[in-house]
């Protein structure tokens, strides 16, 4: 089974029909699972929508600063750390315990990668001076902590020592085997994203090395990418 974008953008009107029954697709999937049990559930990104983090008072104050230079120079404090921790923890708990969603997560083994909404909308695509500033990076580290905990069941230290992720990669890339014939290439396209590059150059070499070392039994390789290979322009 495959899921992504388990949330509703803030731009969608409150009276939009999609808000009346936001988990109907999960209910459909569980009906399929009851009839033909799914062996795994792959989350391809945006398992949670963290965009409302900017509605937290301390972060809204930062966002309303009139000058960009003030935002870039702003310090990340323990108060910010506490507010971010409270937000991301609550957001994950509420998202993962939604009806039908919690049933699926409890009954089907899962593999997940993140995308921007797991952090906040558009992360990685902001201007370099904003993307790298202390405030942005401080908030990102909290988002990453809870991504590791809830989606990868890991800490930063464990993730680096466990051997589950590609060595030396700038992010959390991995190869998972779904039995002897199917491999899943999970690419982290957010941790080190920039306006110029989605993945650092050296990451491509690590991915290529991982693919070259796959067992001969693998017949199908499924790549999880947050970027569409084909992006049609629809009038």
């Amino acid at each position: 089974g495959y899921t992504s974008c388990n949330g509703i953008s803030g731009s969608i009107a409150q009276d939009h029909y999609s808000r009346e029954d936001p988990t109907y697709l999960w209910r459909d999937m569980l009906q399929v699972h009851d009839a033909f049990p799914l062996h795994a559930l792959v989350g391809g990104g945006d398992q949670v929508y963290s965009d409302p983090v900017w509605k937290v008072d301390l972060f809204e104050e930062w966002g309303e600063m009139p000058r960009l230079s003030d935002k870039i120079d702003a310090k990340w404090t323990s108060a910010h750390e506490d507010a971010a921790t409270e937000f991301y923890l609550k957001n994950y708990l509420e998202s993962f315990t939604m009806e039908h969603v919690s049933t699926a997560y409890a009954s089907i083994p899962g593999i997940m990668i993140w995308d921007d909404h797991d952090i906040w909308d558009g992360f990685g695509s902001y201007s370099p001076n904003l993307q790298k500033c202390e405030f942005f990076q401080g908030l990102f580290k909290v988002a990453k902590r809870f991504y590791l905990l809830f989606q990868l069941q890991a800490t930063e230290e464990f993730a680096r020592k466990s051997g589950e992720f590609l060595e030396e990669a700038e992010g959390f890339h991995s190869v998972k085997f779904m039995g002897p014939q199917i491999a899943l290439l999970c690419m982290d396209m957010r941790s080190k994203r920039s306006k110029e590059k989605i993945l650092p150059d050296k990451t491509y070499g690590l991915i290529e090395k991982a693919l070259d070392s796959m067992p001969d039994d693998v017949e199908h390789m499924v790549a999880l990418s947050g970027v569409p290979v084909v992006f049609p322009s629809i009038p």
Side-chain angles (χ1 to χ4, degrees):
Y2 177 84
T3 67
S4 67
C5 300
N6 186 36
I8 299 175
S9 172
S11 62
I12 302 299
Q14 291 299 316
D15 59 353
H16 193 271
Y17 70 87
S18 63
R19 294 186 181 274
E20 296 178 7
D21 188 10
T23 60
Y24 75 94
L25 289 174
W26 289 90
R27 195 164 61 246
D28 287 351
M29 185 174 64
L30 287 173
Q31 291 175 352
V32 173
H33 179 55
D34 286 342
F36 306 98
L38 300 174
H39 296 155
L41 184 61
V42 178
D46 299 338
Q47 276 65 251
V48 297
Y49 270 55
S50 299
D51 308 348
V53 69
W54 296 109
K55 297 298 183 181
V56 175
D57 289 345
L58 285 176
F59 306 134
E60 194 168 34
E61 290 174 8
W62 180 88
E64 291 177 349
M65 288 182 178
R67 295 193 302 178
L68 178 60
S69 59
D70 291 337
K71 294 180 179 181
I72 292 172
D73 293 338
K75 299 299 181 183
W76 180 257
T77 68
S78 58
H80 294 125
E81 186 84 14
D82 291 344
T85 297
E86 180 180 355
F87 170 84
Y88 281 100
L89 175 59
K90 182 180 179 181
N91 193 41
Y92 266 102
L93 290 175
E94 291 179 348
S95 298
F96 279 29
T97 58
M98 293 174 67
E99 187 179 10
H100 309 308
V101 175
S102 60
T103 301
Y105 284 162
S107 58
I108 311 171
I111 297 170
M112 300 178 182
I113 61 168
W114 67 350
D115 208 0
D116 59 333
H117 292 287
D118 299 286
I119 309 165
W120 64 79
D121 190 18
F123 181 85
S125 298
Y126 292 86
S127 60
N129 54 356
L130 189 60
Q131 190 73 38
K132 295 177 181 179
C133 77
E134 180 180 328
F135 202 93
F136 247 46
Q137 288 301 310
L139 189 56
F140 168 69
K141 287 179 181 178
V142 178
K144 180 171 66 172
R145 172 190 170 194
F146 285 98
Y147 164 62
L148 286 166
L149 178 62
F150 278 87
Q151 299 196 40
L152 303 184
Q153 292 78 56
T155 62
E156 182 99 33
E157 182 180 11
F158 177 84
R160 299 306 177 196
K161 292 182 178 179
S162 65
E164 292 187 26
F165 303 93
L166 302 188
E167 294 180 5
E168 303 174 6
E170 296 188 356
F172 301 98
H173 316 275
S174 63
V175 175
K176 307 290 186 183
F177 292 95
M178 319 274 274
Q181 296 176 313
I182 300 176
L184 195 66
L185 173 63
C186 306
M187 293 178 284
D188 176 357
M189 294 187 164
R190 285 295 167 180
S191 289
K192 295 297 179 180
R193 190 187 185 108
S194 70
K195 288 180 73 69
E196 292 76 29
K197 292 186 178 181
I198 295 168
L199 294 171
D201 289 339
K202 68 178 182 181
T203 300
Y204 288 99
L206 291 169
I207 291 173
E208 185 175 348
K209 180 180 177 181
L211 297 180
D212 288 342
S213 63
M214 281 192 183
D216 293 336
D217 292 339
V218 174
E219 297 180 7
H220 306 284
M221 192 279 291
V222 180
L224 289 183
S225 167
V227 177
V229 177
V230 177
F231 193 85
S233 177
I234 301 175

